[in-house]
Amino acid sequence: MQRRDFIKAGAIVGAGAVMPGCLSASVKGKDRIKVGLIGCGGRGTGASINMLNADQNIEFVAFADLFEDKIGPSISKIEAEAKKKFPNQAKNIIDPSKVQRFSGFNCVDQLLSMKEIDVVIEATPPVFRTPHYKKIVAAGKHAFLEKPACIDITQARQMLALADEANAKGLSVVCGTQRRYHRGYQEVIKRVQDGAIGELLSAQCYWNSSGYVGHGQHDAMEKRGILKGLQPDDMEYQIRNWFSFIWTSGDHIVEQHVHNIDVIMWALGDNRMPVDVRGMGGRSTDLPTPIYGDRFSHFAVDFDMGEGLRIASYCQQDPKASDEVGERIVGSKGIMTTALWGSACKITDHKGKVIYMPTGKMAQCMEMEHKFLLDAIREGRKVNTLKTLVNSTLLAIAGRMSAFSGKKFKFEWMMRKSKEDLVPKQIAFVKNPVAGVPVPGKYKLV
């Protein structure tokens, strides 16, 4: 099916579809878990490969994506990984001749109508995470949700309610905050929580990178002719280039930097929320807008956590800028530093002497998060990590709102009174004019 064969008005962001059966996700013991993938891009395909590497007693039975051209390559990559790593089990893990393929605006409803599916991987552009999870819960499926949890405060409120609904239905949901499944992070943060660095004085987190996410992806699609005939104010263009537009991604502070914010929130106990928020940022890259989206290239946010503790949050996506990705907490007795790559998880004294550093081989945390979910499903244990991701996403959303508007505000104001809603009224292949890059002092805080 070609792109224009399914250009129809639709409602991805609509009410959750009513699916047959209240709770279809039931797996016993060593049963082969049946998996459905929603979102067949790079992250959805990668998450599927992570899952099969974590547990070979699964079977991919259905794939759904708004764009049919994404489904075939995703299946091929997953099949190739299964054949490479587990040649004797590959046909049981994924059989391309048997998997169901759904595309177009009703693809999610079609996939979720399959009673045999036990767990769903949801890895679509972030704007669709909330409406899709509403449908997943209504269908009674366990889920792995990629980060972030949502893109704005309106969706955040919905996700908090959905986390409670999933609990009430006995559904498990695990989110893609893989650092929480990294043994180095786990051991260091446990020691911080046990008082190894003393009283917490300040915290910093960083995702400063040397490339603009969306640059290479856009150019690759343009080279392949996928964007031919599309303009930046076409909604299809924006969804295909979702990493470059505010309404589709929430901006990179929400879509990417949420990882680092989440680590600090974890170390602080997850339930400690800011008192005040003051952010700033802008777009310094010379990649033209709206061809390469309308979002900022950098943010700096000060979160006042009360009792003298502040979090400094920095993220940047300017080509050829210096890289720095990680987290740091300063205490009265020492300093915690963490990063996902290398031997960067450690506790030092104030002079830099290492007090503790985890040793030994670290399991692949992007696989361990799937093992955690699948083990729980098989054992009949309910696990639900959605609220912790929503809390971390809320900080990223607040930072973006403050930086866009140039305003300092109470976090409690955002939680109770903000009416921010970035989702267009109509989700269809129509024109969706781009307002331009937000200008602090002019962008309205609502």
Side-chain angles (χ1 to χ4, degrees):
M1 181 187 298
Q2 297 301 312
R3 172 172 60 86
R4 285 175 176 81
D5 291 335
F6 62 85
I7 294 181
K8 300 175 182 178
I12 294 177
V13 188
V18 178
M19 301 296 168
C22 177
L23 182 59
S24 59
S26 58
V27 179
K28 297 179 180 179
K30 297 182 180 179
D31 288 350
R32 187 171 292 276
I33 293 178
K34 304 296 179 67
V35 183
L37 172 62
I38 300 174
C40 301
R43 184 76 289 269
T45 303
S48 299
I49 289 172
N50 296 146
M51 181 177 279
L52 74 87
N53 279 322
D55 188 329
Q56 294 78 61
N57 196 21
I58 63 172
E59 180 185 359
F60 290 94
V61 298
F63 290 72
D65 197 284
L66 177 60
F67 304 111
E68 189 188 40
D69 57 80
K70 290 181 175 289
I71 298 175
S74 178
I75 293 172
S76 296
K77 288 178 183 177
I78 296 167
E79 181 191 27
E81 180 75 7
K83 285 182 174 179
K84 177 182 176 182
K85 296 284 187 67
F86 313 105
N88 296 328
Q89 303 177 61
K91 204 71 171 177
N92 292 326
I93 295 171
I94 182 168
D95 184 344
S97 68
K98 294 182 179 179
V99 296
Q100 296 293 306
R101 309 177 189 207
F102 305 108
S103 60
F105 283 109
N106 64 343
C107 65
V108 174
D109 298 321
Q110 291 174 311
L111 181 144
L112 291 175
S113 70
M114 295 178 63
K115 290 185 178 181
E116 61 266 41
I117 291 177
D118 302 301
V119 62
V120 174
I121 297 173
E122 207 291 339
T124 61
V127 67
F128 302 125
R129 193 93 66 241
T130 299
H132 287 174
Y133 190 53
K134 183 174 183 178
K135 294 183 177 187
I136 291 167
V137 172
K141 311 293 187 185
H142 302 300
F144 174 82
L145 303 182
E146 258 307 337
K147 53 75 200 167
C150 47
I151 62 158
D152 57 35
I153 183 60
T154 300
Q155 286 193 340
R157 294 181 184 122
Q158 296 169 7
M159 284 299 247
L160 289 171
L162 285 169
D164 289 336
E165 187 177 343
N167 271 333
K169 285 190 170 185
L171 298 173
S172 286
V173 53
V174 168
C175 303
T177 47
Q178 69 266 24
R179 287 158 176 79
R180 290 182 182 247
Y181 304 88
H182 185 283
R183 183 169 64 81
Y185 270 85
Q186 292 170 344
E187 293 185 10
V188 165
I189 287 179
K190 183 180 186 302
R191 283 165 173 77
V192 169
Q193 293 174 338
D194 288 344
I197 66 172
E199 181 185 359
L200 306 186
L201 303 177
S202 67
Q204 301 84 42
C205 54
Y206 317 87
W207 196 312
N208 299 321
S209 58
S210 59
Y212 179 92
V213 175
H215 183 189
Q217 293 92 327
H218 168 276
D219 290 359
M221 285 189 288
E222 190 172 56
K223 185 176 181 180
R224 290 165 55 198
I226 292 174
L227 303 179
K228 187 176 180 180
L230 295 174
Q231 299 298 320
D233 63 350
D234 289 322
M235 189 166 283
E236 181 179 352
Y237 181 100
Q238 294 167 16
I239 295 174
R240 286 189 179 274
N241 288 280
W242 65 266
F243 17 69
S244 294
F245 288 91
I246 296 166
W247 78 268
T248 49
S249 69
D251 213 316
H252 67 102
I253 188 175
V254 173
E255 192 278 324
Q256 184 183 68
H257 187 44
V258 68
H259 275 304
N260 315 105
I261 294 172
D262 183 69
V263 171
I264 301 299
M265 291 290 285
W266 174 20
L268 296 184
D270 279 317
N271 294 317
R272 185 170 180 174
M273 305 303 279
V275 178
D276 293 315
V277 181
R278 176 66 170 94
M280 59 188 71
R283 185 181 178 97
S284 50
T285 178
D286 59 1
L287 292 170
T289 184
I291 295 173
Y292 293 95
D294 59 348
R295 64 176 181 79
F296 277 12
S297 64
H298 58 277
F299 292 86
V301 186
D302 173 27
F303 296 101
D304 183 347
M305 305 301 289
E307 299 179 358
L309 178 64
R310 302 178 95 97
I311 299 173
S313 157
Y314 305 99
C315 57
Q316 180 182 34
Q317 289 187 3
D318 283 311
K320 299 183 180 180
S322 295
D323 287 315
E324 183 175 16
V325 182
E327 304 82 29
R328 181 174 181 265
I329 298 179
V330 179
S332 58
K333 297 180 181 178
I335 301 171
M336 177 206 88
T337 56
T338 48
L340 197 56
W341 302 282
S343 301
C345 294
K346 60 187 176 183
I347 294 174
T348 68
D349 63 19
H350 290 160
K351 294 183 179 180
K353 180 182 177 181
V354 175
I355 298 172
Y356 175 77
M357 179 182 290
T359 58
K361 186 177 180 180
M362 304 289 172
Q364 224 289 12
C365 57
M366 293 183 76
E367 295 174 3
M368 290 301 98
E369 58 190 0
H370 293 281
K371 185 178 188 306
F372 177 71
L373 172 61
L374 297 177
D375 285 352
I377 293 172
R378 285 205 174 89
E379 295 165 11
R381 290 184 291 108
K382 181 175 65 179
V383 294
N384 189 327
T385 67
L386 181 53
K387 283 193 175 181
T388 58
L389 177 58
V390 174
N391 285 347
S392 300
T393 306
L394 280 166
L395 264 71
I397 289 170
R400 181 197 66 219
M401 290 173 64
S402 180
F404 279 6
S405 65
K407 302 294 185 181
K408 178 180 179 179
F409 57 79
K410 297 287 184 184
F411 187 81
E412 186 68 14
W413 168 84
M414 182 190 77
M415 293 298 296
R416 290 184 178 275
K417 296 184 178 181
S418 175
K419 297 178 181 178
E420 185 190 52
D421 183 349
L422 301 181
V423 183
K425 298 302 180 185
Q426 181 185 18
I427 302 293
F429 291 151
V430 296
K431 290 292 184 180
N432 187 45
V434 181
V437 178
V439 178
K442 292 184 177 179
Y443 184 91
K444 188 176 180 181
L445 189 65
V446 295

